[in-house]
Amino acid sequence: MNELKKSIHDNANGLDYSLVNDHYLPNLTAEAPAEHPTGRWGRLHKMYLKEQHPIRYNQLLLSGELGCYLAKLDKQAEEQLALTIRQMQEAESMTEALKAADQLEWVRRMNSIRNRAEEIIKTELIFV
């Protein structure tokens, strides 16, 4: 019986193959993905893509663009959140005077503003 070689090289496609059990499998390696810090918004959008748009998720993942895409989305969401909160504060006359006069009322109103702003971000950027 012929002994199979441990590895072979195919000149037609330029790939090397290793013997695994009775089959030759190609020696494929993937580049390590670049590290992109992803925050809360990026993680939420990643979950949404996995569950609702698996084809888009797999395209981004396989092309190596997922990390960069999520990092950009996360940064954009943070900036938009800060801007929306600031605009809502101005529209509702949230001043330092109110903070000094009635701290509990100021905290209640700021929590309300933040929650509404986060819902806007989720609706417009994350779950789209």
Side-chain angles (χ1 to χ4, degrees), residues 6 11 17 22 26-27 46 53 67 73 94 96 113 126:
K6 296 284 184 192
N11 290 327
Y17 294 85
D22 292 334
N27 297 335
K46 182 178 178 181
H53 301 281
L73 181 94
M94 294 288 295
E96 291 297 316
I113 288 172
I126 306 304

Side-chain angles (χ1 to χ4, degrees), residues 85-99:
I85 288 174
R86 215 173 355 195
Q87 289 173 342
M88 291 174 114
Q89 279 180 302
E90 291 171 6
E92 297 180 20
S93 303
M94 294 288 295
T95 62
E96 291 297 316
L98 175 62
K99 186 177 181 181

Side-chain angles (χ1 to χ4, degrees), residues 24-111:
Y24 284 105
L25 299 178
N27 297 335
L28 301 176
T29 57
E31 292 181 22
E35 286 297 318
H36 297 282
T38 304
R40 170 186 179 200
W41 302 111
R43 289 189 306 271
L44 274 174
H45 189 64
K46 182 178 178 181
M47 264 186 3
Y48 172 74
L49 284 176
K50 271 185 177 178
E51 294 170 4
Q52 302 298 321
H53 301 281
I55 293 173
R56 175 76 175 131
Y57 173 78
N58 284 325
Q59 286 173 337
L60 288 167
L61 183 65
L62 293 174
S63 68
E65 297 173 3
L66 182 65
C68 183
Y69 170 76
L70 293 174
K72 285 179 185 175
L73 181 94
D74 189 68
K75 183 179 178 190
Q76 180 184 4
E78 283 295 333
E79 290 171 356
Q80 186 66 36
L81 178 67
L83 177 64
T84 303
I85 288 174
R86 215 173 355 195
Q87 289 173 342
M88 291 174 114
Q89 279 180 302
E90 291 171 6
E92 297 180 20
S93 303
M94 294 288 295
T95 62
E96 291 297 316
L98 175 62
K99 186 177 181 181
D102 190 356
Q103 290 181 354
L104 289 178
E105 177 64 16
W106 183 85
V107 168
R108 184 186 65 77
R109 289 173 66 182
M110 280 302 296
N111 284 340

